[in-house]
Amino acid sequence: MRQVGTHSSDSPHPSRSGQEQAIVNHSSPVDFLLLGFSEHPGLERILFVVVLISYLLTLVGNTLIILLSVLDPRLHSPMYFFLSNLSFLDLCFTTSCVPQMLVHLWGPRKTISFLGCSVQLFIFLFLGTTECVLLTVMAFDRYMAVCQPLHYATIIHPRLCRQLAAVAWIMGLVQSAVQTPPTLRLPFCPHRQIDDFVCEVPSLIQLSCGDTTYNEIQLAVSSVIFLVVPLTLILISYGAVARAVLRINSAVAWRKALGTCSSHLIVVTLFYSSVIAVYLQPKNPYAQKRGKFFGLFYAVGTPLLNPLIYTLRNKEVKRALRRLLGKDRDSREN
């Protein structure tokens, strides 16, 4: 059980007496203060430029993936259906936090309303959980494509794809609906300073001046269910894929199977490494500061890199892009 009742000596606010540390009513509409990287003003200017460029590229890249998946008949397959879901998710995810982040990085205003924090927390949990499940579904799709190629079209049919995508979105919605209210009902300390650049569960738990045992247990259980279990299933799927690939005698077939899975495996590695660093970090100041940079990469970096990875490493996507631009050279390449 963790109790937070006093400020450390390096706090930007002076220490208060016991009465002044009285717990703020959770229903109070007082704004929160997102500290972010405010202790490094020079870094904030650099991050503003980096985040702005990354956000614009994220919008372009993920929108392009969605358009290609919808408009090009050759990309009407389960893999690109799930990829378009991932791109739409990334668009929503970054848009829920980056505009506010840019405002805070550019100017002195670092506050966010209780309602704004509540909405951001709900969206973060919703989309973050959905992505964990969706990446697991995509790993299952790649397993079936490599290990069961003869039955792939029969098993992974359009209706099943829609059902699996719906399960991912519904599980994310349910998880957020379950975890958001207890987090927002925490008795927050009067200073209302969130040592992060967005409203996330670990930072809000840290802000509490009361008993957080239930919330920490809930966070641990949800992390196991929606982080550890999906990651384990993904590793099992790719273990089976690796065994199947090693049994392939044809070099061409081997490269094709590896190319089919490598992009998704890179995306999984980037996503889970950043999420685990944020949600399963140890409780110490160094881990908290390091977690902010991982959180920034989780919110800005992965949505930017996902379309780049799938575009640069995927010939079908590059050919679809050329067809969309009227520069189809498939006949020459073949």
Side-chain angles (χ1 to χ4, degrees):
M1 178 169 63
R2 183 170 67 84
Q3 300 284 342
V4 181
T6 60
H7 296 294
S8 60
S9 60
D10 59 350
S11 172
H13 289 267
S15 60
R16 305 168 186 262
S17 65
Q19 290 182 343
E20 290 175 329
Q21 286 286 357
I23 295 170
V24 176
N25 190 306
H26 66 268
S27 62
S28 173
V30 179
D31 292 347
F32 291 104
L33 180 65
L34 292 169
L35 297 180
F37 300 99
S38 56
E39 70 273 21
H40 304 293
L43 178 61
E44 284 191 319
R45 298 299 184 186
I46 297 173
L47 287 176
F48 175 85
V49 176
V50 172
V51 171
L52 177 60
I53 294 174
S54 299
Y55 180 55
L56 295 176
L57 292 175
T58 297
L59 294 179
V60 173
N62 285 288
T63 302
L64 187 60
I65 291 288
I66 295 172
L67 288 176
L68 291 176
S69 300
V70 172
L71 298 177
D72 196 308
R74 302 188 191 185
L75 298 186
H76 290 177
S77 66
M79 175 180 173
Y80 297 105
F81 171 76
F82 294 129
L83 180 56
S84 62
N85 271 264
L86 181 63
S87 293
F88 177 71
L89 186 152
D90 285 339
L91 285 175
C92 297
F93 190 83
T94 53
T95 303
S96 71
C97 64
V98 169
Q100 166 234 295
M101 192 188 306
L102 289 171
V103 172
H104 291 177
L105 288 172
W106 182 254
R109 182 177 177 274
K110 311 290 183 185
T111 57
I112 183 172
S113 67
F114 182 85
L115 177 61
C117 186
S118 304
V119 172
Q120 190 176 80
L121 176 65
F122 184 88
I123 293 174
F124 254 61
L125 285 172
F126 172 32
L127 299 180
T129 303
T130 301
E131 185 159 0
C132 289
V133 180
L134 188 60
L135 289 174
T136 308
V137 170
M138 294 173 74
F140 171 69
D141 172 67
R142 293 301 84 207
Y143 163 78
M144 292 300 300
V146 175
C147 299
Q148 303 289 336
L150 299 179
H151 304 287
Y152 177 74
T154 304
I155 298 175
I156 310 297
H157 50 79
R159 182 182 177 186
L160 179 63
C161 292
R162 290 191 294 269
Q163 291 172 339
L164 290 173
V167 167
W169 288 94
I170 291 172
M171 289 183 72
L173 183 63
V174 171
Q175 157 63 5
S176 184
V178 169
Q179 191 162 7
T180 299
T183 304
L184 296 174
R185 282 198 296 266
L186 282 169
F188 298 117
C189 295
H191 60 81
R192 293 271 178 155
Q193 293 180 347
I194 301 176
D195 192 15
D196 209 334
F197 53 88
V198 290
C199 293
E200 289 197 274
V201 175
S203 300
L204 290 172
I205 289 177
Q206 188 181 33
L207 180 62
S208 174
C209 282
D211 183 5
T212 60
T213 303
Y214 172 78
N215 301 84
E216 291 180 1
I217 292 174
Q218 187 184 47
L219 178 61
V221 171
S222 63
S223 297
V224 169
I225 295 174
F226 294 107
L227 284 178
V228 178
V229 172
L231 181 58
T232 301
L233 293 175
I234 291 172
L235 294 176
I236 291 173
S237 297
Y238 277 107
V241 169
R243 288 194 299 271
V245 169
L246 291 175
R247 291 196 296 264
I248 297 176
N249 295 323
S250 169
V252 175
W254 190 89
R255 285 195 298 269
K256 183 177 179 180
L258 188 62
T260 299
C261 301
S262 59
S263 297
H264 180 253
L265 195 54
I266 294 172
V267 168
V268 166
T269 302
L270 293 174
F271 175 78
Y272 275 97
S273 59
S274 57
V275 172
I276 289 173
V278 172
Y279 284 90
L280 298 180
Q281 61 178 313
K283 295 177 183 177
N284 60 68
Y286 172 75
Q288 175 67 18
K289 291 185 179 298
R290 182 188 62 187
K292 278 197 284 188
F293 284 96
F294 278 107
L296 182 64
F297 181 78
Y298 165 55
V300 179
T302 53
L304 166 66
L305 293 175
N306 286 353
L308 292 177
I309 292 169
Y310 280 105
T311 301
L312 296 177
R313 298 183 60 87
N314 192 307
K315 290 183 179 180
E316 290 182 346
V317 174
K318 288 190 284 189
R319 289 172 180 171
L321 179 58
R322 285 197 294 267
R323 286 193 292 270
L324 183 66
L325 298 175
K327 299 178 180 180
D328 186 8
R329 299 177 184 174
D330 284 353
S331 58
R332 297 183 190 179
E333 295 179 359
N334 295 331

